[in-house]
Amino acid sequence: MAFPAGFGWGAATSAYQVEGGWDADGKGPCVWDTFTHQGGERVFKNQTGDVACGSYTLWEEDLKCIKQLGLTHYRFSLSWSRLLPDGTTGFINQKGIDYYNKIIDDLLTNGVTPIVTLYHFDLPQALEDQGGWLSEVIIESFDKYARFCFSTFGDRVKQWITINEPNIFAVMAYEFGVFPPGVPHVGTKAYQAAHNLIKAHARSWHSYDSLFRKEQKGMVSLSVFAGWVEPADPASVSDQEAVKRAMAFQLDFFAKPLFIDGDYPEVVKSQVALMSKKQGYSSSRLPEFTEEEKRMIKGTADFFAVQYYTTHLVKNQENKKGELGLLQDVEVEVFPDPSWISLNWVCVVPWGIRKLLKYIKDTYNNPVIYITENGFPQGDPTSFDDTQRWEYFRQTFQELFKGEQIKKMWYIYTVEYYSAIKKDGIMPFAATWMDLEIIKLNPLLPKSIQIFLWGAALCSRCVSSIPCRPDCC
């Protein structure tokens, strides 16, 4: 398997999931601190991210792993409340600046390109107390935070993600209430939050464009979660239309405003308006952008950042009872093909990513694409037999390189060491995994297994050989 010249290899983390040090050195509380400290089995075994991987104090160890894995890129997020404890520039935490300066400088010294996410679900609690993402005030607050980060780190950071997976965040936080602030508002507030997320991103993009781009010469986008979907019955016209609605609600909802015309897909607007009317609302539950806002939003992405994990089948499911809910607005049923290998919600469907990239290429004028997350979860208890995972990657890359030529593509693997929301158990995505109890019993074990990690399955020089050939690495 030959990899294109300049193909980028990376790993991705997020601040709350890996840093720990939740109240160290002047950091203010974020919504996840509040959410997990409330208990009540909101998270698996009432766990918290207070310690997580301890990356706040163990960055040097993380850097060793990054170097050992031979990564070209490392994506991480900034903790808003570690830098600005109350979410505003009224008080700036220098120790937070020092921490991220060291990460960025160490990465560059070792030839690794930093990709920095401004917001990965961890809003400062002080801003949540003022209304959070349901208040338009957050748009100005986010823009000021973004300007602060561009000014502080932008001399070295050239790839920025403003907001991670706004589509997932809006639904999980405000439709289902399983992310902070933890209060579901079925069928309404997810749309309101998404509306503000898009406008906050656009404002920050324009700030970068007008104040920093000329000197810093960087790029700014947001990352969107997208799975591929296929009609349950390829011969069914209604299932084919269901596929179009599913793609419009999950991907195009955020991508079309940024890349095309500053507005939501027509099918999204018509679906929500129709359902709202049936339910007795005087107007659509989906907010509208003004013409001025459309002009502001249009064109506010310098590359297409997509996060793909899996593929599902969809079939038409008419909302005959007019039930309230975002999923009911889409009028689809989503499910896996029973023949697909799966672990938890991730089905192994290698051709799905190729079809998704083709869709993005054709729909959004062949943009530069960053695959900013991808991966395969590990079960609990975790096994050192990594066969399923490396086979997932091998097949995925084979499919990627079958596809039509894409301008440029970077591949980032997700490393989620701490997962706070799995009530049925932790399903981590990790590049390396060590059972400390086994290591205590056999201190020689890490030396015997360390080659069978990321590089073993995905070495760019001998990817077809599992594990790596002795003469390779």
Side-chain angles (χ1 to χ4, degrees), residues 126-198:
L127 296 183
E128 178 60 40
D129 293 341
Q130 298 172 22
W133 287 104
L134 298 181
S135 168
E136 287 203 347
V137 174
I138 195 67
I139 299 168
E140 180 69 20
S141 298
F142 184 79
D143 184 42
K144 289 181 177 179
Y145 164 60
R147 291 188 192 194
F148 167 78
C149 294
F150 297 149
S151 175
T152 305
F153 307 114
D155 58 327
R156 290 151 293 157
V157 175
K158 305 305 175 186
Q159 282 104 16
W160 294 94
I161 301 290
T162 56
I163 298 166
N164 178 75
E165 292 184 347
N167 48 350
I168 294 297
F169 170 68
V171 171
M172 300 298 277
Y174 297 102
E175 180 77 5
F176 300 132
V178 295
F179 281 10
V183 180
H185 302 275
V186 176
T188 57
K189 300 304 183 183
Y191 291 131
Q192 184 178 338
H195 205 65
N196 289 333
L197 286 159
I198 290 172

Side-chain angles (χ1 to χ4, degrees), residues 110-122:
N110 287 278
V112 179
T113 299
I115 300 178
V116 177
T117 303
L118 295 176
Y119 180 73
H120 196 122
F121 309 162
D122 51 350

